[in-house]
Amino acid sequence: MPYRQRNRRGQGGRLRTEILAAATDLLDTGGGERAVTLRAVARRVGIAAPSIYPHFPDPGTLLRAVVRQASADLADRLRTVSHHDDPRRRLFALCSAYLDFAGEHPARYRAMFDGDPASGTEVLRILTDGLTACHTSDAPATDAFALWLGLHGLAHQRAVARSFPWPADIAERITIPLSHLTPGGPTHDHPHLGRHPHHHRR
């Protein structure tokens, strides 16, 4: 095993970052949470397994950190697409970004909602803000929850049934009624809303 050089004093945070990145990569490429062992992470980083303990005392703690980081990454992606002046375009951009993230990182996405119910809290807040701006709902928080369930269900089913012939406009057909939007409008600005079958990789 090629050992990495020892961090200088005060650079312990760098090692923690490397450990977290290695665990995330193992989750993405190894097919699931079972691939994330302290031994495997240590091998990938180039350190002895006991060097992980001061940062993550057990695999569960490490996985929870991976999930928290993935949740933050998803929320950041949603924030970066919230730039459209038109509220409807903004909402469709949010839904598209959500589905894209789930399609690009299926194992990471699955771990987010398998192990930490709070993973969706910030996502729900962002969706609620997007729905509120559309002025189509008298209960945007509740309808945002319904919209999230629709998106989550689609993302999950795409991950487990990758060969299923999903209708090309299935994302729009979920988003429009759950958001109380009227058909038509800016959907043509998002011709690939949630349509990324080639991203369903392990």
Side-chain angles (χ1 to χ4, degrees):
M1 177 178 67
Y3 281 89
R4 69 193 292 281
Q5 287 189 341
R6 191 182 183 94
N7 280 323
R8 295 178 180 178
R9 181 172 297 182
Q11 292 186 335
R14 176 183 170 188
L15 177 56
R16 186 184 189 281
T17 298
E18 292 177 8
I19 292 169
L20 190 58
T24 301
D25 189 53
L26 282 168
L27 178 65
D28 285 343
T29 61
E33 298 175 34
R34 291 185 179 181
V36 184
T37 66
L38 296 187
R39 185 184 299 273
V41 171
R43 187 181 305 116
R44 181 155 298 203
V45 177
I47 58 177
S51 299
I52 298 178
Y53 297 149
H55 305 278
F56 304 101
D58 54 67
T61 302
L62 179 53
L63 273 170
R64 286 191 291 274
V66 170
V67 164
R68 286 194 296 271
Q69 183 61 58
S71 300
D73 291 344
L74 173 56
D76 286 343
R77 179 177 293 200
L78 296 184
R79 293 189 194 98
T80 61
V81 301
S82 300
H83 60 274
H84 293 289
D85 292 332
D86 183 276
R88 182 180 174 121
R89 289 190 177 93
R90 185 161 60 248
L91 184 62
F92 272 89
L94 289 172
C95 294
S96 183
Y98 182 96
L99 292 170
D100 285 350
F101 182 92
E104 292 164 11
H105 309 292
R108 202 181 309 179
Y109 178 82
R110 184 167 55 248
M112 284 169 56
F113 294 103
D114 280 351
D116 186 2
S119 293
T121 302
E122 183 63 11
V123 171
L124 275 174
R125 189 193 67 75
I126 295 171
L127 286 177
T128 299
D129 290 346
L131 196 55
T132 300
C134 291
H135 302 292
T136 58
S137 170
D138 57 1
T142 301
D143 286 334
F145 189 79
L147 176 59
W148 171 73
L149 285 177
L151 295 172
H152 179 65
L154 176 59
H156 173 76
Q157 288 303 113
R158 279 178 167 173
V160 300
R162 286 173 284 179
S163 62
F164 187 81
W166 296 99
D169 62 346
I170 186 62
E172 289 91 336
R173 289 183 176 274
I174 287 174
T175 301
I176 290 172
L178 291 177
S179 304
H180 299 288
L181 299 173
T182 55
T187 57
H188 64 275
D189 289 340
H190 302 281
H192 303 294
L193 175 58
R195 302 172 198 171
H196 295 279
H198 57 285
H199 281 157
H200 295 306
R201 62 178 183 268
R202 290 186 181 276

